[in-house]
Amino acid sequence: MEIFYGKAIFRGIAIGKILFNSKNKQQVRRTKIDDAEAEISRFEKAKEEASQELEVLYNKALKEVGESNAAIFEVHSMMLEDDDFNDAIIEKIKNQLVNAEYAVAKTGDGLADMFANMEDEYFRARAADMKDISERVISKLVGEDSSFQLKEPAIIVAKDLAPSETIQMDKSKLLAFVTELGSSSSHTAILARTMNLPALIGVKIDSGWNGKFAVVDGYNGKLVIEPDKDTLAKYKKIQQDDLEKRELLKELKGKETVTKGGKKIHLYANIGNPSDLSSVLENDAEGIGLFRSEFLYLDSDNFPTEEEQFNAYRKVAETMGSKKVIIRTLDIGADKQVGYFNLGHEDNPAMGYRAIRICLDQQDIFKTQLRALLRASAFGNISVMYPMIISVNEVMQIKEIVKNVMEELETEGIDFNKNIEQGIMIETPAAVIISDELAKEADFFSIGTNDLTQYTLAADRQNAKLENIIDTHHPAVLRSIKTVIENAHKAGIWAGICGELGADTSLTETFLSYGIDELSVSPTFVLPVRKVVRDTD
């Protein structure tokens, strides 16, 4: 028996055989051709097949993991149609009289290297996407299947996994992921959490494990190779207990989220788009505590119109009925870049031109969204909250803009909720420190613990090298949360958490002791959190 350690991405136990995904890069030889036009036609045909495959992957991901997670395949489709990529390939075929496989490989490698050497973290991440796209086209040219097929249930071990590889796998046979590279914020890690699969990153892998029997311990970050009899029995017992707990959780549907002492907690769900609503309802969330509105911008080639936004917000509001729907205004920038915004290069985008800063600077974009939000408020219980606030002055500017938009709608005779609840996201140390002042100008606080943690610890949460530094339980983070809740209550407003810490059941009792009013979590965490709250005295 051997034990290897990594970082757990999703809690749970997986038991089964290891299938090692070597993901060898296809070897491409340079071949001289005689007919350039015929070779270009071969490339165009392969590109079309790759495009169709990406569309299938997008639709598959849409059904299985929601629109926000499926968006990566739309990005791949756009990169596949990029003029620089296509023109460079065609030029190589014409001028150098080389085979299409070589032209694609050479172009893909060149663009991937260019992305990898950029300072911006977002663009560096595009290097892996570029390689993924090139490999897909080459596989079509050589007539090979680019998907990784599972013939029997297996624990997938790999150096790293691309989102396309993850989503193509048969979920009924996928037991767990174990990778050497990647971070807890990677697309594959997010997919693992969405699919409720135990997953480890940062494990020094070995191809010799292929076919060996193993246990993935997603609670303690362990990979146990060839467990002995007693160890295997222990993990089978934990796995069975987990299954029984999940069945018991179903009994909590329809029950209140209330402590033994009678403290009522509002337990809401986070969503990225309207397609996530089925999961919200299935898991019995009491409302939506964070609706990330930027999906409308990420999924569009141009600024979404007021009508497009209104229809999306209205759909969610009507589906949820009287239940609260808190919509966060545009949070573009940092790791969420949109080409048509023309934001330009920034050395440190996480602390740059993003979120409310863009909205206050480009008020035409902001006003369009506010008009859509206010119009939709007539069809349900909508609240709105503003991200990345650092000053009272920003809040006052927002209030003035909202007031002007309301006056416009009144003049036009358009219905809206004149008393719509407006909240502030607490994501920066600045907002924590002045939360007593901000509380006087807000209807509620929602603490975004993901950004609050990285800004408080000065550690980029997208950086895999900092995994051991980003401590979400750091006293500074917890004291900040406590301070915000206390200042909210002093001003007579409520405070909630909408970041990933809200789903950390090891902290639920701590948050209850701080007096938290609301927790908003991924839909699959609603019932586990409800159980902890109901078990707390």
Side-chain angles (χ1 to χ4, degrees):
M1 181 174 76
E2 292 182 284
I3 299 176
F4 300 87
Y5 292 88
K7 179 168 182 176
I9 295 302
F10 189 81
R11 291 176 291 180
I13 304 295
I15 302 172
K17 282 186 178 180
I18 287 175
L19 181 58
F20 193 86
N21 180 7
S22 58
K23 199 168 67 170
N24 292 323
K25 184 178 178 181
Q26 299 178 79
Q27 297 299 312
V28 175
R29 292 184 179 181
R30 176 172 178 158
T31 305
K32 186 173 176 59
I33 58 155
D34 297 320
D35 189 342
E37 291 304 319
E39 202 65 15
I40 290 169
S41 294
R42 278 187 69 228
F43 162 65
E44 295 287 0
K45 182 174 182 291
K47 191 184 82 168
E48 178 59 30
E49 290 174 358
S51 179
Q52 290 171 1
E53 191 172 78
L54 284 169
E55 186 175 354
V56 170
L57 282 174
Y58 173 79
N59 290 326
K60 188 172 189 288
L62 195 63
K63 293 176 184 174
E64 295 179 358
V65 294
E67 194 166 351
S68 56
N69 291 318
I72 182 64
F73 301 112
E74 287 191 317
V75 173
H76 281 203
S77 293
M78 286 189 286
M79 294 177 78
L80 183 63
E81 297 299 331
D82 182 74
D83 289 340
D84 291 338
F85 178 64
N86 287 277
D87 291 349
I89 292 168
I90 292 170
E91 185 181 340
K92 283 182 175 62
I93 294 173
K94 280 183 176 178
N95 297 341
Q96 299 176 29
L97 292 177
V98 293
N99 54 318
E101 293 89 338
Y102 178 81
V104 173
K106 200 72 176 170
T107 302
D109 287 346
L111 289 171
D113 289 343
M114 179 189 74
F115 281 126
N117 290 319
M118 289 183 175
E119 292 183 13
D120 189 289
E121 181 70 28
Y122 173 83
F123 288 109
R124 284 204 302 274
R126 300 286 72 76
D129 293 325
M130 195 72 252
K131 290 177 181 176
D132 198 351
I133 293 162
S134 300
E135 288 290 304
R136 189 176 300 281
V137 175
I138 292 169
S139 71
K140 299 304 173 191
L141 285 164
V142 300
E144 290 182 1
D145 187 356
S146 61
S147 63
F148 184 67
Q149 301 298 331
L150 287 173
K151 295 179 181 177
E152 59 181 354
I155 295 166
I156 302 301
V157 173
K159 189 81 172 177
D160 198 6
L161 285 167
S164 58
E165 294 175 296
T166 309
I167 206 67
Q168 284 178 111
M169 295 176 191
D170 183 345
K171 304 303 174 293
S172 66
K173 297 184 176 70
L174 191 53
L175 301 178
F177 295 128
V178 177
T179 65
E180 186 167 320
L181 303 178
S183 74
S184 55
S185 301
S186 68
H187 286 294
T188 298
I190 293 168
L191 288 172
R193 286 193 286 267
T194 305
M195 295 184 290
N196 297 334
L197 286 172
L200 305 179
I201 60 172
V203 178
K204 188 67 178 174
I205 64 169
D206 184 342
S207 59
W209 297 343
N210 191 48
K212 289 188 175 181
F213 197 74
V215 173
V216 175
D217 179 352
Y219 291 103
N220 301 298
K222 292 196 292 188
L223 174 67
V224 184
I225 307 291
E226 302 287 9
D228 58 36
K229 185 178 178 181
D230 290 343
T231 302
L232 181 58
K234 180 188 77 172
Y235 278 118
K236 282 185 175 179
K237 175 69 166 60
I238 296 172
Q239 191 178 51
Q240 182 60 34
D241 288 346
D242 282 351
L243 185 60
E244 290 173 3
K245 285 176 185 175
R246 281 197 291 272
E247 289 302 311
L248 284 171
L249 285 174
K250 292 178 182 177
E251 296 178 9
L252 292 174
K253 286 189 176 183
K255 301 281 181 69
E256 275 197 310
T257 308
V258 59
T259 67
K260 287 182 176 180
K263 165 74 172 175
K264 167 68 179 159
I265 300 296
H266 296 289
L267 185 54
Y268 299 152
N270 299 333
I271 66 170
N273 53 75
S275 66
D276 295 332
L277 284 171
S278 58
S279 184
V280 172
L281 298 172
E282 180 187 342
N283 289 281
D284 197 38
E286 298 163 19
I288 293 171
L290 169 61
F291 178 13
R292 303 178 183 93
S293 65
E294 51 271 14
F295 85 93
L296 287 158
Y297 300 82
L298 292 166
D299 292 351
S300 178
D301 295 328
N302 209 331
F303 293 102
T305 65
E306 178 184 324
E307 208 62 29
E308 288 170 336
Q309 295 190 59
F310 163 68
N311 288 329
Y313 305 146
R314 176 180 174 173
K315 177 183 177 182
V316 175
E318 288 183 329
T319 301
M320 295 304 292
S322 62
K323 293 180 178 179
K324 188 183 291 293
V325 176
I326 302 175
I327 301 175
R328 180 179 69 187
T329 58
L330 175 64
D331 190 5
I332 289 294
D335 60 333
K336 297 187 285 288
Q337 296 286 328
V338 178
Y340 58 82
F341 270 74
N342 297 315
L343 298 181
H345 170 74
E346 291 184 287
D347 289 335
N348 193 349
M351 295 188 183
Y353 190 57
R354 60 173 293 196
I356 203 66
R357 297 167 184 179
I358 294 174
C359 291
L360 291 178
D361 186 45
Q362 302 187 49
Q363 293 187 17
D364 53 334
I365 298 173
F366 193 30
K367 286 180 178 177
T368 298
Q369 181 172 36
L370 289 173
R371 281 181 61 92
L373 282 167
L374 286 167
R375 286 174 58 196
S377 71
F379 297 88
N381 186 7
I382 286 179
S383 299
V384 60
M385 65 181 180
Y386 309 107
M388 279 294 288
I389 297 296
I390 63 165
S391 71
V392 174
N393 181 53
E394 287 174 330
V395 180
M396 301 312 290
Q397 287 184 66
I398 292 167
K399 282 188 166 185
E400 186 62 28
I401 295 169
V402 171
K403 179 187 172 187
N404 291 339
V405 171
M406 285 183 170
E407 288 173 353
E408 286 178 7
L409 293 174
E410 276 195 287
T411 302
E412 296 168 25
I414 297 174
D415 288 338
F416 64 93
N417 178 7
K418 296 178 177 60
N419 299 308
I420 189 170
E421 198 178 34
Q422 298 180 72
I424 293 170
M425 287 197 71
I426 305 293
E427 302 172 275
T428 66
V432 172
I433 293 167
I434 63 166
S435 56
D436 56 337
E437 295 297 319
L438 291 171
K440 298 172 186 175
E441 303 298 335
D443 294 320
F444 66 91
F445 283 156
S446 188
I447 305 169
T449 55
N450 300 354
D451 271 334
L452 180 60
T453 300
Q454 78 165 344
Y455 293 138
T456 301
L457 303 183
D460 181 3
R461 60 191 171 99
Q462 304 281 350
N463 191 333
K465 294 179 181 177
L466 302 180
E467 285 289 334
N468 61 336
I469 291 177
I470 300 175
D471 177 13
T472 54
H473 292 213
H474 193 289
V477 175
L478 297 181
R479 287 183 190 179
S480 295
I481 293 170
K482 186 180 182 185
T483 297
V484 171
I485 295 168
E486 288 173 348
N487 284 333
H489 291 169
K490 286 176 186 175
I493 66 172
W494 62 266
I497 293 174
C498 64
E500 287 198 17
L501 271 192
D504 187 339
T505 51
S506 69
L507 285 174
T508 304
E509 191 171 334
T510 299
F511 295 148
L512 290 170
S513 73
Y514 292 169
I516 197 73
D517 302 294
E518 177 252 14
L519 294 169
S520 189
V521 300
S522 294
T524 53
F525 286 104
V526 168
L527 294 176
V529 172
R530 179 173 294 164
K531 184 178 189 311
V532 176
V533 172
R534 288 175 64 89
D535 287 345
T536 301
D537 189 343

